[in-house]
Every structure is written in C-alpha cells, then in structure tokens.
Amino acid sequence: INADKTETTVAYNKIQEFEEFFELIGDYAKVGYAHLNILSKQGHAQKSWYKNIGEESGTPLSEIIGTYKYFHPDDRELILQFFEEVQKGNADKLSHKIRVFRDNGECTWTHVNLFVRKYAPQDKDIELISINYDITDLKQRGEMLDNERERAEASDRLEPAFLTNMTREIRTPLHAIVGFSS
C-alpha cells in the first residue's frame, strides 16, 4: 500500500517554518510564550520565555513552576498565590511586573501575563497561557526620566532663591554707593 503524504509533509513544513519565525520574533522583541498545566506542571515554552524569567532554555517546566528561583520573593509569592486561586476557581488572569535576579547579580524586570485557557480540574487539566516580555529598558528609561524631572523641579526651586539672593547682594553695595555719592 502506498500513501501520498505530500499534504502532510507540506503542512508539517509550514508549521516548522511558522515556529521558527515565531522564535525569531520572540527573541527580537523579547517576548516569550508558554502554555502549561499547573496541576501536572507540564507544558511547552519558547526560548525567549525561559530567558525572560532567568531560566536555562529547555529546563523542564516541572522544575520551574512553583519554585521560580530567580524571582524576587515578593513576586514569587504573588505568582504562587495566583496559582492557588486558579486551582480553587477564584482567578483566571494575572498581569504583573516581576523582578528577576540574574546570575551576574543584576536585577531585570519582566512583565508577566497569565490567563486560564482551559479549566477542567476534574480531568486534572488547568491549562495556563503565559506571555512575558522584558521591560528592563522601559524601567530604566522611566527612572532616567524621573531623575531628569526631579532635577528640573529642583532647578525651578533654586532659580527664585538665586534671584532673591543676587538681588539682595547687588542692592546692598548699591545702597552704599548711592549713600557715599550723596
């Protein structure tokens, strides 16, 4: 029996090509994607998803979910609390900025979006979609703008004080000169 698998091969190749482009776009835009079952801690994630949360690409999700060893403790607690609420059926989405500690000692920022795609705890399936993106550059620019704003405000406060001081400094000798010349 011969079977023509041309359509299957073409479809498979298109899927592969799409996945490669998706990975390329994710790397360039620093956007990561993962889907996972929080009950079995199984799923699939893109390389950029791993990178955004400080993990080594290819690490089994079961070793990451629930531990999040690179997250700031407050942010880790928030994510774990969200998972508990999802399992109870009380929450279905989360959008939060988290701090990620890197091996070199730096701290980066990642915006994490989590939402429930499928909720079937009776079938041991609570599927989450996770989309994260690195916002470290945005945070640094925001801090720089805040510093510049503070400097501008300080300059605005100093200008009237400077003018008042200078007016007094010029007026005092001027009175003496006018007094002597009279």
Side-chain angles (χ1 to χ4, degrees), residues 48-99:
S48 52
W49 182 84
Y50 286 106
K51 186 176 180 180
N52 289 343
I53 63 167
E55 294 287 349
E56 188 70 34
S57 181
T59 304
L61 294 181
S62 59
E63 293 178 19
I64 298 171
I65 298 167
T67 56
Y68 299 109
K69 61 184 174 187
Y70 295 106
F71 286 13
H72 186 281
D74 295 341
D75 300 327
R76 181 183 312 120
E77 184 62 35
L78 179 86
I79 299 289
L80 295 176
Q81 186 177 2
F82 171 72
F83 283 174
E84 286 178 19
E85 292 299 314
V86 165
Q87 288 177 9
K88 293 176 187 174
N90 296 334
D92 62 351
K93 61 184 165 187
L94 174 74
S95 181
H96 190 68
K97 296 174 181 95
I98 61 166
R99 293 156 286 188

Side-chain angles (χ1 to χ4, degrees), residues 124-151:
K124 298 200 183 314
D125 189 17
I126 301 177
E127 187 178 348
L128 283 180
I129 300 294
S130 172
I131 299 170
N132 62 23
Y133 48 98
D134 188 325
I135 59 169
T136 304
D137 292 341
L138 292 173
K139 283 293 229 180
Q140 289 172 345
R141 286 186 192 137
E143 289 173 6
M144 185 179 73
L145 288 173
D146 286 345
N147 291 340
E148 291 299 320
R149 182 181 43 80
E150 288 174 10
R151 284 184 46 203

Side-chain angles (χ1 to χ4, degrees), residues 2 27 31 36 38 43 46 62 74 78 85 99 106 108 118-119 127-128 147 151 158 163 173-174 176:
N2 288 333
D27 287 342
V31 175
L36 53 113
I38 62 172
Q46 261 187 304
S62 59
D74 295 341
L78 179 86
E85 292 299 314
R99 293 156 286 188
E106 291 183 18
T108 60
K118 182 178 180 184
Y119 183 78
E127 187 178 348
L128 283 180
N147 291 340
R151 284 184 46 203
L158 289 175
L163 289 175
L174 199 58

